[in-house]
Amino acid sequence: MSGAKSGTQDIMQPAVGMDEDLCSGGGRHAAGEDPAKREQILEGARRAFLSQGFDAASMNDITREAGVSKGTLYVYFENKEDLFKALIIKGKTRVVQTAKHALNDHDDVEESLYDFGVTLTTSMTAEETIRSMRMVIGVIDRMPHLAERFFSEAPENGYTVLKSYLDRQIAAGTLDIENTEMAARQFIEMAQAGLFKHRLFGGMCSAPPKEQIEATVTAAVRVFMSAYGPKKKTD
C-alpha cells in the first residue's frame, strides 16, 4: 500500500429538492442505485466520523456534510453502522488492491515482499487508518459485531493476498514454506514491528517517516528469506 492518501475533496452541494433521482427511466438512476450519490454520502459520512467520532456523529451531521436530504440518506444506508461498514470495506478494498499490485509488479521475490511491506505498513500507520481503528476499538465492548465487520467483511485482506502469493512462489520453487498462512502473518507483523501498535495506542503521534518504514521492511524481508528462502540441497 504505497501510502494511502487521506486528502479530502470538497463535494458540490446539490440544489434543494434535486439530491436524488427516484425514477429509473430516461437515463436516471433508480432509488439507491446512483454510484455518484452513494460516494457523495460516503464522503460526507467519512468527514463526519473523522471530525466527531462514530458515537458523536449523528445522521443529521452526515446529511449536512454530504449535502443530501435525510430521506435520500436512508434510501442508500440503513443507519450509522451501515455507513461505517461501507466505509471500512471501501478503505480496505483500496488498500488491499494497492498491496496486491505491489506484489505482482516484480519478478524478484525480495523486491515483491519489500514493496508489499512498505505499501501495507504505510497505509496501516496513516492517520485516517489509525483514527478509524480507534473508533472501532472505542465501541467494541457494546458493539462487537462492528469490530467483526471491520476484520472480516472484505473478501480479501493483506494476509489472504500475501498467502496466495507465497503459495505461488512455493509452486515455482522460489520459497520453501510449510504453513503459508502462518508465514504471511509473520511477515506482516515483522514489516510493522514497532510501528503499527505504537501508532494505534498513541506511542507515536504521527505517521512514521518513509525511511523508518523502509528500514523496518528491509529487515523483515531479510529475516523472512533467511527462514523461508529455498533450502540448499546437500548430499
Side-chain angles (χ1 to χ4, degrees):
M1 316 186 154
S2 58
K5 298 180 181 179
S6 57
T8 302
Q9 296 181 340
D10 293 333
I11 295 178
M12 296 295 292
Q13 301 295 314
V16 176
M18 296 294 291
D19 61 349
E20 178 62 72
D21 285 329
L22 299 180
C23 301
S24 58
R28 300 163 71 189
H29 293 280
E33 296 182 2
D34 183 350
K37 184 65 61 179
R38 188 175 190 275
E39 286 302 306
Q40 180 178 339
I41 294 171
L42 284 173
E43 176 61 18
R46 187 184 74 85
R47 291 198 299 266
F49 288 142
L50 288 177
S51 64
Q52 301 180 52
F54 177 80
D55 279 331
S58 68
M59 293 298 267
N60 285 333
D61 294 325
I62 293 169
T63 59
R64 184 165 52 252
E65 287 284 354
V68 300
S69 69
K70 188 174 287 188
T72 294
L73 179 60
Y74 282 112
V75 166
Y76 284 84
F77 298 98
E78 182 178 348
N79 50 39
K80 281 200 307 181
E81 286 184 46
D82 197 21
L83 272 162
F84 196 55
K85 169 189 170 184
L87 284 169
I88 289 169
I89 294 174
K90 178 184 175 184
K92 287 178 67 175
T93 300
R94 181 182 64 249
V95 167
V96 169
Q97 288 305 311
T98 304
K100 197 172 183 179
H101 287 308
L103 274 176
N104 297 326
D105 278 349
H106 305 283
D107 293 328
D108 182 78
V109 175
E110 293 189 34
E111 289 183 3
S112 295
L113 290 173
Y114 173 82
D115 271 6
F116 174 85
V118 169
T119 300
L120 186 64
T121 302
T122 300
S123 175
M124 294 299 291
T125 56
E127 182 65 21
E128 189 166 327
T129 302
I130 293 298
R131 291 174 68 182
S132 297
M133 288 189 173
R134 287 172 179 166
M135 276 188 257
V136 174
I137 292 172
V139 300
I140 194 170
D141 287 337
R142 69 178 190 279
M143 301 172 66
H145 53 286
L146 190 62
E148 183 179 350
R149 288 175 173 177
F150 190 93
F151 289 106
S152 64
E153 282 289 345
E156 289 185 315
N157 56 50
Y159 296 112
T160 61
V161 166
L162 182 55
K163 180 185 183 305
S164 295
Y165 174 81
L166 297 179
D167 286 335
R168 294 196 301 273
Q169 296 307 313
I170 291 172
T174 53
L175 291 175
D176 185 357
I177 305 173
E178 292 183 5
N179 186 333
T180 52
E181 181 175 353
M182 179 184 294
R185 294 183 180 277
Q186 288 172 334
F187 179 77
I188 289 174
E189 290 293 325
M190 288 192 296
Q192 299 175 2
L195 302 176
F196 172 66
K197 290 180 181 177
H198 280 192
R199 283 284 286 130
L200 183 62
F201 298 111
M204 187 181 294
C205 296
S206 58
K210 178 182 178 182
E211 294 76 14
Q212 188 174 6
I213 292 175
E214 290 176 343
T216 302
V217 175
T218 296
V221 172
R222 184 167 59 248
V223 172
F224 189 86
M225 293 303 296
S226 295
Y228 296 123
K231 302 295 187 292
K232 294 181 179 179
K233 299 186 184 301
T234 57
D235 294 335

